[in-house]
Amino acid sequence: MPYNFENGFWVLILFPLLGAAVNGLMGKRFPAGMVALIACFMSGLSFLVAFGTFLQFSNLPGESRVLSKHLFTWIESGNFVASFGLLLDPLSMVMILIITGVGFLIHVYSTRYMREHPGFYRYFAYLNLFIFMMSVLALADNYLMMFIGWEGVGLCSYLLIGYYFDRKSAGDAAKKAFIVNRVGDAGFILGVLLIFRTFQSVEFIPVFEQVVRRFPEAEASFGILSAIALLLFVGAIGKSAQIPLYVWLPDAMEGPTPVSALIHAATMVTAGVYLTARSAALYSRTPEVLALVASIGAITALFAALIATVQTDIKRVLAYSTVSQLGYMFIAVGVGAFGAGIFHLFTHAFFKALLFLGAGSVILALHHEQNLFKMGGLRRYLPITSLTMWIGTLAISGIPPFAGFFSKDEILAKAYESPLGSPLLWALGLVAAGLTAFYMFRLMFLTFHGRGHHEKHPPREDSNSVSIPLLFLALFSLIAGWIGLPPYLGINRFEHFLEPSFRYQYQHGASETAHTSELLLASVTILAAVLGIAVSYLLYVRKPGTSGKLASRFPSVYRILERKFYVDEIYDFLVVHPLYRLAVRTLWRTIDVRLIDGTVNGTGSFFQAWGHLLKRIQAGYARIYASWVLWGALLVILYCYFSLA
Amino acid sequence: MVPITHYLMLSAILFALGALGVLINRNIISMFMCVELMLNAVNLAFIAFSRFLNQVDGQIFVFFVMIVAAAEAAVGLALIVLFFRDKSTLDVDQANSLKW
């Protein structure tokens, strides 16, 4: 009898945990090959279980595609119950396939990329732990357990950003990521508390059923649902690096490149989008919050794309690109098109992981050179990297038939035609799409084309463990979009597959648009991308000096972009510096040193001073003690004499 | 009959002499004798009041004091012997090792 994944799917979270435990506790004594083997084997096994589950899962009829598995009761106190249970529905299925699939490829890639680094076992233990935590996040059947996974991936992210802990910048970046995420997490946990207060439960399905029963209509004004949705969105902003909490993600590039690919591009940063989509029942009833979500998404998409156009570090361009693409996903969920957001999450996982791994391959070949302007002409030396990265670039730029086109096109179409959307959102997204094409082609032209100076030490492509993940991801960057065809080309299987997960969603009126107008929108999107590509080609291939001239022509514009709109500086001035001063001057130097230490030390020195005075009585001479007795007796006698007289 | 004030004056003088002796003597044995003098000064006061008030309570107290003094002498002298063995002197100022 074949393995029954319906009941046994939960084992997939155990393998990476086991791998993390074995490597983390004993990996120091293992040879590097064995560490890598254990880690890859465990994540591979996890993927196999996920894939097997998917095959059986997709045979089930649509309405029964919600499997739950109660493992044990975690907390039980009064009417508060938090169970350690897993929920497998189409939404978490998609997430699990991305997490374990991309995760496995990145494990394989890391065996080569991290080969020369000390603490190899540490890296793989963290990476396996990350897969476990992310699986918990995606499979959780209640908000509290999701929060465990949420914090767990934050911890792994912190550990892996600070992997090169002997470099100060890496330590700072890790702390920045951790602290900025705390701001968001505070919102998340408050949201969960408010959910429990309102619905007496934290489990998804009971909560959503109550939402449907108690809130048949969308909230007309700001009420309890909006408050919950807003608090959860604060958590999503932190994790998914949206304005105003996006600042940690670019700095997170201090971590090893495969980590950037897995955690800071494909999986963890999309957790915010996942949270929003998971809570579709709540969000779809709070149009005001949704409008905020969509606007923040659109502004972030444009803002980050603008910054990406002038960055010179290959990984930073990709980091801002990730921020921008996450903005797209939030546009989608913000106009109520949760399926479209998850679709972009899905395709983005492939092409962005591919681009990061390609960048890693370039960095490896150039011995850790990350400056775009010192690259060039690598096409000849790194043919596989070049080919696969071109596929990734075409995908992210939204050129059909690559994956990014379908998801991005769907988002822009929904932004335009959804009852919650608006032409303004669409226009912002469109400009961001053009900019995306521009900065990605700029990156590619600067890296692989033009002339390089590599004659002395020709860089070469590394082993198969680097190329094979690239080829796999390239394949998916090409075909992953075909499962979600726009209505004028066929059917959207992806959306259809996800439907059971969004059955509690409130429908804001149907949006029926003619195929012709959708075709028109798609053509405009492609046109914007082509325009971006053309400008990029003109600036970096046809007349390579033009970009420098433009920069010196508009020095202030260039400077603002290059300094990333001075956001880090503004935060330093407005938040970091005042907090630092409060901490150092008031809390440390005044309250701690003066008040608390002062009280404690003062008590000590008070008694010490008196002791110094009184110790003189204890001279050690018996006759002096005797005279004290005598004086005492005299005093008593005098007292008696005067009081009795 | 000698009035009681004479007895009490004598008792006070003896007590004061004893106390002074304890304070100014360095020799432990002399100090010890002075303590005995003070005890006996008190005894004298007790006896005088006992006679004056025609009550035996004072005399009973005197017996107690004498017994205590005898016991004190036994223990005290033993301590003095030990002190002398340790320090080879009877100077009380040498017994200063218990100070701060």
Side-chain angles (χ1 to χ4, degrees), chain A residues 615-628 630, chain B residues 15 19 22-26 31 92-93 95-96 98-100:
Chain A
K615 78 177 181 188
R616 291 175 202 289
I617 299 171
Q618 295 266 351
Y621 296 110
R623 293 179 303 139
I624 293 179
Y625 299 153
S627 71
W628 281 114
L630 195 71
Chain B
F15 189 87
V22 170
L23 289 187
I24 63 176
N25 262 307
R26 284 201 213 167
M31 287 170 74
V92 77
D93 286 354
N96 62 353
L98 264 184
K99 68 168 181 178
W100 35 273

Side-chain angles (χ1 to χ4, degrees), chain A residues 103-134:
Chain A
F104 172 63
L105 289 176
I106 286 170
H107 271 77
V108 172
Y109 180 92
S110 302
T111 55
R112 165 65 193 97
Y113 192 84
M114 301 303 292
R115 195 166 60 196
E116 283 120 30
H117 294 288
F120 192 71
Y121 75 96
R122 202 159 50 84
Y123 174 83
F124 277 107
Y126 294 161
L127 213 56
N128 262 348
L129 185 68
F130 172 78
I131 301 279
F132 166 72
M133 286 297 182
M134 193 68 205

Side-chain angles (χ1 to χ4, degrees), chain A residues 525-606:
Chain A
T525 316
I526 299 170
L527 205 66
V530 170
L531 195 69
I533 294 167
V535 173
S536 184
Y537 181 76
L538 203 67
L539 287 183
Y540 295 98
V541 179
R542 189 55 76 77
K543 293 174 181 164
T546 331
S547 62
K549 266 182 236 156
L550 268 179
S552 50
R553 185 81 174 276
F554 304 103
S556 52
V557 176
Y558 177 75
R559 193 149 177 76
I560 288 173
L561 286 178
E562 200 239 334
R563 303 291 306 167
K564 309 157 215 158
F565 289 94
Y566 294 95
V567 171
D568 275 328
E569 284 79 358
I570 292 169
Y571 280 6
D572 265 348
F573 180 73
L574 287 182
V575 183
V576 180
H577 205 59
L579 270 181
Y580 183 80
R581 283 197 354 181
L582 177 75
V584 170
R585 285 197 188 168
T586 315
L587 295 179
W588 173 32
R589 297 225 168 103
T590 311
I591 295 194
D592 187 45
V593 172
R594 299 226 177 117
L595 207 71
I596 295 173
D597 288 2
T599 312
V600 174
N601 293 339
T603 313
S605 49
F606 173 81

